[in-house]
Amino acid sequence: MRAKTAQDRQLLELIDPIAGSLGLDVVRIRLMSGAKRQRLQIMAERPSDHDISVEQCAKLSRAVSEVFDAADPIAGEYLLEVSSPGIDRPLTRPVDFELFEGEEARLETDRMIEGRKRFKGVLAGFEDGNVLIDLDGEDDTALIPFDWLSDAKLVLTDALMKRGAAIRAARGEPEDDGLPEGAAEDTTDTTTPSEDNA
């Protein structure tokens, strides 16, 4: 789920080692079509505390731009955005469901499970390839195969906001940096024309 399409997966293969060299993990990438140009969104974080600084966003943006300028993996012009996952972050890796156990989440599957594809509840961990979730209004913990997920993210709750504020306070950071959570903290305009258009 870190990459949705075949092209996203190819780009992720290029981006993963770049991020790793900077001590970062890629949470998710998406190449999205736009009216005038495509947009490549990269969400990344430090594995130590699952956050990222503005400076690290800028470093990753510059490093990706250098590699992409040489490799030219995206045809036409595109805008590169590097950001933190935000408080109501996407859940894209098995470890995410363990890290955020006890938090409320929304899940969507690519196939029907007992007549539905959308689920909301409290995360109860990850086990044997399954996401464990205590669904609203149900007594038993549901097991949803991770490989069947098409989308998963935390729900923005008061408890989640307090958790984020406590983490920032522990690091001595201000509670509000003026940016909406999940917004591109460093947005680098990398307009790279393809060789055909150059």
Side-chain angles (χ1 to χ4, degrees):
M1 285 201 325
R2 292 193 306 146
K4 235 174 190 174
T5 66
Q7 186 172 17
D8 284 350
R9 288 189 287 275
Q10 290 171 352
L11 295 173
L12 184 60
E13 285 181 15
L14 288 172
I15 296 166
D16 262 340
I18 300 168
S21 72
L22 297 172
L24 300 170
D25 287 342
V26 176
V27 174
R28 187 181 82 183
I29 74 154
R30 293 288 184 270
L31 182 62
M32 296 169 277
S33 299
K36 294 185 178 178
R37 58 186 165 188
Q38 300 176 93
R39 184 162 55 105
L40 176 60
Q41 181 190 71
I42 302 172
M43 290 184 180
E45 66 181 12
R46 294 181 296 262
S48 58
D49 61 1
H50 311 288
D51 203 354
I52 189 170
S53 68
V54 174
E55 293 78 15
Q56 286 173 312
C57 285
K59 280 183 185 176
L60 180 56
S61 180
R62 286 192 297 270
V64 168
S65 294
E66 286 176 16
V67 172
F68 278 30
D69 284 349
D72 197 20
I74 301 173
E77 296 183 348
Y78 65 95
L79 181 69
L80 175 60
E81 294 180 354
V82 176
S83 72
S84 76
I87 292 179
D88 54 340
R89 58 180 295 137
L91 305 167
T92 61
R93 305 159 295 181
V95 68
D96 293 338
F97 297 95
E98 295 173 342
L99 286 169
F100 296 98
E101 185 174 342
E103 300 291 351
E104 198 171 331
R106 291 182 196 275
L107 311 180
E108 191 169 334
T109 57
D110 62 7
R111 63 200 79 183
M112 299 292 269
I113 300 176
E114 295 183 7
R116 62 180 179 164
K117 289 185 172 184
R118 291 185 177 87
F119 305 86
K120 181 181 173 190
V122 176
L123 294 176
F126 190 87
E127 190 177 292
D128 298 328
N130 295 301
V131 174
L132 280 61
I133 184 167
D134 295 324
L135 297 173
D136 293 349
E138 296 189 18
D139 295 332
D140 295 331
T141 298
L143 277 68
I144 298 178
F146 176 77
D147 291 341
W148 293 9
L149 291 178
S150 60
D151 194 39
K153 69 179 295 185
L154 293 179
V155 174
L156 192 58
T157 61
D158 288 342
L160 191 60
M161 288 193 291
K162 285 178 185 172
R163 175 181 173 154
I167 291 169
R168 285 191 298 276
R171 287 198 304 258
E173 295 177 7
E175 281 196 29
D176 184 6
D177 58 8
L179 291 172
E181 287 296 327
E185 291 173 346
D186 173 70
T187 302
T188 305
D189 186 350
T190 308
T191 52
T192 309
S194 67
E195 289 180 8
D196 297 338
N197 300 332

